[in-house]
Amino acid sequence: METKEELFAHLKDVTRVLEDPLVRRAFIDIDRADFVGEDYKVEAYEDYALPIGYGQTISQPTTVGFMFELLGAREGDKVLDVGSGSGWTSALLSKIVGDKGSVTSLEIITELFELGEKNTKKYALKNLKQVLVKAGQVGIPGKMFDRILVSAKSQELPPDILLQLKDEGVLVIPVKNSIWRIHKTLDGVIESKEYPGFTFVPLK
């Protein structure tokens, strides 16, 4: 795929991960090419992960679209984006939740935090707050979110992450080689579903 339009058509019609109109609109408005390094610009619209340095990647578009469909973020939601890397997922989420929502993105690698800030400044994302955190910090203790997206895998569910999920909230997280969708009901009951067969860089 050589163009943004070809990638969009592939995601919509072939891998079918853009069923949600809010997700579709975000993928149109936010250009993946703005979040890859100069050496990879020619591959920006390919449907695979690309290196962004420091052992990290910008994820495969189909995988991102699939995780966003599971996440189900809506306009006005308060979203936590863990492992924001190049800033692409944070920018997409910012578009999805709109001016009445907010996105807090976390990154532990200083150079990637700075890269994410630089990339997202290409867009007017007033609802996005980017935070540099220490290694091992997966969330923001004491804060609550409607949706939580984690873009790096862990070997088990981080113990404190569910404490930051509101009732009726959704967490999407890779654990080992599966993506898990975890829903907390109004009664605080945890419902989970596993989607196996994915590969992610490790959560540090």
Side-chain angles (χ1 to χ4, degrees), residues 7-27:
L7 174 60
F8 179 81
H10 172 77
L11 298 175
K12 180 177 177 290
D13 301 326
V14 179
T15 59
R16 297 184 180 277
V17 295
L18 301 182
E19 297 293 330
D20 186 326
L22 291 176
V23 177
R24 278 202 306 273
R25 173 51 57 186
F27 270 76

Side-chain angles (χ1 to χ4, degrees), residues 2-70:
E2 297 182 353
T3 69
K4 178 181 175 182
E5 291 72 23
E6 287 173 328
L7 174 60
F8 179 81
H10 172 77
L11 298 175
K12 180 177 177 290
D13 301 326
V14 179
T15 59
R16 297 184 180 277
V17 295
L18 301 182
E19 297 293 330
D20 186 326
L22 291 176
V23 177
R24 278 202 306 273
R25 173 51 57 186
F27 270 76
I28 291 171
D29 290 345
I30 303 295
D31 192 339
R32 189 176 189 238
D34 287 330
F35 298 86
V36 303
E38 289 298 325
D39 292 343
Y40 294 96
K41 291 290 187 185
V42 295
E43 299 176 78
Y45 304 122
E46 299 298 336
D47 192 22
Y48 47 71
L50 292 169
I52 56 173
Y54 310 96
Q56 306 301 302
T57 64
I58 180 172
S59 294
Q60 177 189 15
T62 285
T63 301
V64 173
F66 178 69
M67 293 178 79
F68 278 25
E69 293 281 337
L70 294 181

